[in-house]
mmCIF file of all heavy atoms in Angstrom:
data_model
loop_
_atom_site.group_PDB
_atom_site.id
_atom_site.type_symbol
_atom_site.label_atom_id
_atom_site.label_comp_id
_atom_site.label_asym_id
_atom_site.label_seq_id
_atom_site.Cartn_x
_atom_site.Cartn_y
_atom_site.Cartn_z
ATOM 1 N N ALA A 46 0.616 4.493 -7.146
ATOM 2 C CA ALA A 46 0.175 3.290 -6.438
ATOM 3 C C ALA A 46 0.807 3.230 -5.055
ATOM 4 O O ALA A 46 1.908 3.738 -4.829
ATOM 5 C CB ALA A 46 0.548 2.038 -7.237
ATOM 6 N N ILE A 47 0.108 2.611 -4.147
ATOM 7 C CA ILE A 47 0.607 2.344 -2.796
ATOM 8 C C ILE A 47 1.015 0.879 -2.755
ATOM 9 O O ILE A 47 0.301 0.020 -3.266
ATOM 10 C CB ILE A 47 -0.476 2.644 -1.748
ATOM 11 C CG1 ILE A 47 -0.786 4.141 -1.745
ATOM 12 C CG2 ILE A 47 -0.044 2.172 -0.369
ATOM 13 C CD1 ILE A 47 -1.937 4.521 -0.838
ATOM 14 N N HIS A 48 2.131 0.603 -2.120
ATOM 15 C CA HIS A 48 2.670 -0.755 -2.101
ATOM 16 C C HIS A 48 2.475 -1.411 -0.738
ATOM 17 O O HIS A 48 2.957 -0.910 0.279
ATOM 18 C CB HIS A 48 4.163 -0.717 -2.446
ATOM 19 C CG HIS A 48 4.796 -2.055 -2.468
ATOM 20 N ND1 HIS A 48 5.942 -2.348 -1.777
ATOM 21 C CD2 HIS A 48 4.437 -3.201 -3.103
ATOM 22 C CE1 HIS A 48 6.268 -3.608 -1.986
ATOM 23 N NE2 HIS A 48 5.363 -4.148 -2.776
ATOM 24 N N VAL A 49 1.756 -2.520 -0.713
ATOM 25 C CA VAL A 49 1.638 -3.392 0.459
ATOM 26 C C VAL A 49 1.586 -4.818 -0.080
ATOM 27 O O VAL A 49 0.571 -5.231 -0.649
ATOM 28 C CB VAL A 49 0.383 -3.111 1.310
ATOM 29 C CG1 VAL A 49 0.339 -4.048 2.510
ATOM 30 C CG2 VAL A 49 0.322 -1.666 1.759
ATOM 31 N N PRO A 50 2.673 -5.582 0.049
ATOM 32 C CA PRO A 50 2.681 -6.949 -0.487
ATOM 33 C C PRO A 50 1.572 -7.816 0.116
ATOM 34 O O PRO A 50 1.228 -7.671 1.299
ATOM 35 C CB PRO A 50 4.055 -7.479 -0.083
ATOM 36 C CG PRO A 50 4.890 -6.270 0.136
ATOM 37 C CD PRO A 50 3.947 -5.222 0.660
ATOM 38 N N LEU A 51 1.049 -8.719 -0.690
ATOM 39 C CA LEU A 51 0.031 -9.650 -0.213
ATOM 40 C C LEU A 51 0.514 -10.412 1.006
ATOM 41 O O LEU A 51 -0.257 -10.637 1.944
ATOM 42 C CB LEU A 51 -0.366 -10.625 -1.337
ATOM 43 C CG LEU A 51 -1.354 -11.728 -0.955
ATOM 44 C CD1 LEU A 51 -2.671 -11.139 -0.450
ATOM 45 C CD2 LEU A 51 -1.582 -12.660 -2.133
ATOM 46 N N THR A 52 1.786 -10.810 1.017
ATOM 47 C CA THR A 52 2.305 -11.558 2.168
ATOM 48 C C THR A 52 2.149 -10.763 3.460
ATOM 49 O O THR A 52 1.868 -11.341 4.510
ATOM 50 C CB THR A 52 3.781 -11.936 1.960
ATOM 51 O OG1 THR A 52 4.533 -10.765 1.636
ATOM 52 C CG2 THR A 52 3.938 -12.969 0.860
ATOM 53 N N LYS A 53 2.299 -9.453 3.385
ATOM 54 C CA LYS A 53 2.127 -8.616 4.583
ATOM 55 C C LYS A 53 0.659 -8.482 4.956
ATOM 56 O O LYS A 53 0.315 -8.485 6.139
ATOM 57 C CB LYS A 53 2.777 -7.259 4.391
ATOM 58 C CG LYS A 53 4.287 -7.371 4.343
ATOM 59 C CD LYS A 53 4.951 -6.033 4.414
ATOM 60 C CE LYS A 53 6.448 -6.265 4.329
ATOM 61 N NZ LYS A 53 7.209 -5.322 5.086
ATOM 62 N N LEU A 54 -0.210 -8.369 3.951
ATOM 63 C CA LEU A 54 -1.648 -8.299 4.247
ATOM 64 C C LEU A 54 -2.119 -9.577 4.922
ATOM 65 O O LEU A 54 -2.873 -9.536 5.898
ATOM 66 C CB LEU A 54 -2.449 -8.056 2.965
ATOM 67 C CG LEU A 54 -2.357 -6.669 2.350
ATOM 68 C CD1 LEU A 54 -3.074 -6.644 1.006
ATOM 69 C CD2 LEU A 54 -2.925 -5.623 3.293
ATOM 70 N N VAL A 55 -1.665 -10.720 4.409
ATOM 71 C CA VAL A 55 -2.032 -12.012 4.996
ATOM 72 C C VAL A 55 -1.540 -12.099 6.437
ATOM 73 O O VAL A 55 -2.217 -12.663 7.301
ATOM 74 C CB VAL A 55 -1.484 -13.177 4.137
ATOM 75 C CG1 VAL A 55 -1.608 -14.513 4.851
ATOM 76 C CG2 VAL A 55 -2.199 -13.225 2.788
ATOM 77 N N ALA A 56 -0.380 -11.510 6.702
ATOM 78 C CA ALA A 56 0.193 -11.530 8.051
ATOM 79 C C ALA A 56 -0.474 -10.520 8.983
ATOM 80 O O ALA A 56 -0.107 -10.429 10.162
ATOM 81 C CB ALA A 56 1.695 -11.272 7.984
ATOM 82 N N GLY A 57 -1.441 -9.742 8.462
ATOM 83 C CA GLY A 57 -2.192 -8.829 9.311
ATOM 84 C C GLY A 57 -1.792 -7.375 9.233
ATOM 85 O O GLY A 57 -2.266 -6.565 10.034
ATOM 86 N N ALA A 58 -0.951 -7.009 8.275
ATOM 87 C CA ALA A 58 -0.531 -5.607 8.149
ATOM 88 C C ALA A 58 -1.740 -4.704 7.949
ATOM 89 O O ALA A 58 -2.696 -5.071 7.260
ATOM 90 C CB ALA A 58 0.438 -5.453 6.982
ATOM 91 N N ILE A 59 -1.667 -3.536 8.543
ATOM 92 C CA ILE A 59 -2.718 -2.550 8.323
ATOM 93 C C ILE A 59 -2.361 -1.727 7.092
ATOM 94 O O ILE A 59 -1.203 -1.652 6.681
ATOM 95 C CB ILE A 59 -2.928 -1.635 9.554
ATOM 96 C CG1 ILE A 59 -1.657 -0.853 9.875
ATOM 97 C CG2 ILE A 59 -3.389 -2.432 10.750
ATOM 98 C CD1 ILE A 59 -1.873 0.236 10.911
ATOM 99 N N LEU A 60 -3.359 -1.127 6.518
ATOM 100 C CA LEU A 60 -3.144 -0.314 5.329
ATOM 101 C C LEU A 60 -2.467 0.999 5.706
ATOM 102 O O LEU A 60 -2.713 1.542 6.784
ATOM 103 C CB LEU A 60 -4.480 -0.013 4.655
ATOM 104 C CG LEU A 60 -5.202 -1.190 4.031
ATOM 105 C CD1 LEU A 60 -6.605 -0.787 3.608
ATOM 106 C CD2 LEU A 60 -4.419 -1.725 2.847
ATOM 107 N N PRO A 61 -1.656 1.541 4.797
ATOM 108 C CA PRO A 61 -1.093 2.874 5.026
ATOM 109 C C PRO A 61 -2.218 3.902 5.183
ATOM 110 O O PRO A 61 -3.320 3.714 4.640
ATOM 111 C CB PRO A 61 -0.279 3.149 3.761
ATOM 112 C CG PRO A 61 -0.012 1.806 3.177
ATOM 113 C CD PRO A 61 -1.192 0.955 3.555
ATOM 114 N N VAL A 62 -1.951 4.970 5.874
ATOM 115 C CA VAL A 62 -2.958 5.994 6.150
ATOM 116 C C VAL A 62 -3.646 6.475 4.865
ATOM 117 O O VAL A 62 -4.861 6.646 4.844
ATOM 118 C CB VAL A 62 -2.327 7.180 6.919
ATOM 119 C CG1 VAL A 62 -3.294 8.337 7.053
ATOM 120 C CG2 VAL A 62 -1.844 6.722 8.285
ATOM 121 N N ARG A 63 -2.867 6.665 3.800
ATOM 122 C CA ARG A 63 -3.438 7.148 2.527
ATOM 123 C C ARG A 63 -4.489 6.215 1.960
ATOM 124 O O ARG A 63 -5.300 6.636 1.129
ATOM 125 C CB ARG A 63 -2.339 7.315 1.473
ATOM 126 C CG ARG A 63 -1.538 8.548 1.604
ATOM 127 C CD ARG A 63 -0.529 8.745 0.474
ATOM 128 N NE ARG A 63 -0.851 8.099 -0.781
ATOM 129 C CZ ARG A 63 0.059 7.662 -1.639
ATOM 130 N NH1 ARG A 63 1.338 7.792 -1.403
ATOM 131 N NH2 ARG A 63 -0.308 7.088 -2.763
ATOM 132 N N ALA A 64 -4.484 4.951 2.371
ATOM 133 C CA ALA A 64 -5.429 3.973 1.832
ATOM 134 C C ALA A 64 -6.574 3.664 2.788
ATOM 135 O O ALA A 64 -7.564 3.057 2.377
ATOM 136 C CB ALA A 64 -4.695 2.682 1.475
ATOM 137 N N GLN A 65 -6.450 4.068 4.027
ATOM 138 C CA GLN A 65 -7.469 3.727 5.023
ATOM 139 C C GLN A 65 -8.776 4.460 4.757
ATOM 140 O O GLN A 65 -8.793 5.655 4.488
ATOM 141 C CB GLN A 65 -6.957 4.054 6.428
ATOM 142 C CG GLN A 65 -5.826 3.156 6.853
ATOM 143 C CD GLN A 65 -5.268 3.508 8.218
ATOM 144 O OE1 GLN A 65 -5.811 4.332 8.946
ATOM 145 N NE2 GLN A 65 -4.162 2.877 8.563
ATOM 146 N N GLY A 66 -9.865 3.695 4.800
ATOM 147 C CA GLY A 66 -11.195 4.270 4.628
ATOM 148 C C GLY A 66 -11.515 4.712 3.216
ATOM 149 O O GLY A 66 -12.497 5.418 3.005
ATOM 150 N N ARG A 67 -10.716 4.305 2.243
ATOM 151 C CA ARG A 67 -10.940 4.674 0.846
ATOM 152 C C ARG A 67 -11.227 3.412 0.041
ATOM 153 O O ARG A 67 -10.731 2.343 0.366
ATOM 154 C CB ARG A 67 -9.692 5.340 0.263
ATOM 155 C CG ARG A 67 -9.183 6.522 1.034
ATOM 156 C CD ARG A 67 -9.289 7.887 0.401
ATOM 157 N NE ARG A 67 -9.562 8.016 -0.992
ATOM 158 C CZ ARG A 67 -8.656 8.370 -1.909
ATOM 159 N NH1 ARG A 67 -7.402 8.579 -1.576
ATOM 160 N NH2 ARG A 67 -9.017 8.519 -3.160
ATOM 161 N N PRO A 68 -11.988 3.528 -1.036
ATOM 162 C CA PRO A 68 -12.144 2.378 -1.931
ATOM 163 C C PRO A 68 -10.778 1.990 -2.492
ATOM 164 O O PRO A 68 -9.948 2.863 -2.795
ATOM 165 C CB PRO A 68 -13.061 2.903 -3.035
ATOM 166 C CG PRO A 68 -13.786 4.049 -2.405
ATOM 167 C CD PRO A 68 -12.806 4.663 -1.456
#
Side-chain angles (χ1 to χ4, degrees):
I47 294 174
H48 181 232
V49 180
L51 176 60
T52 53
K53 291 191 181 213
L54 288 173
V55 169
I59 61 170
L60 292 171
V62 172
R63 281 185 25 210
Q65 292 177 8
R67 305 248 345 254

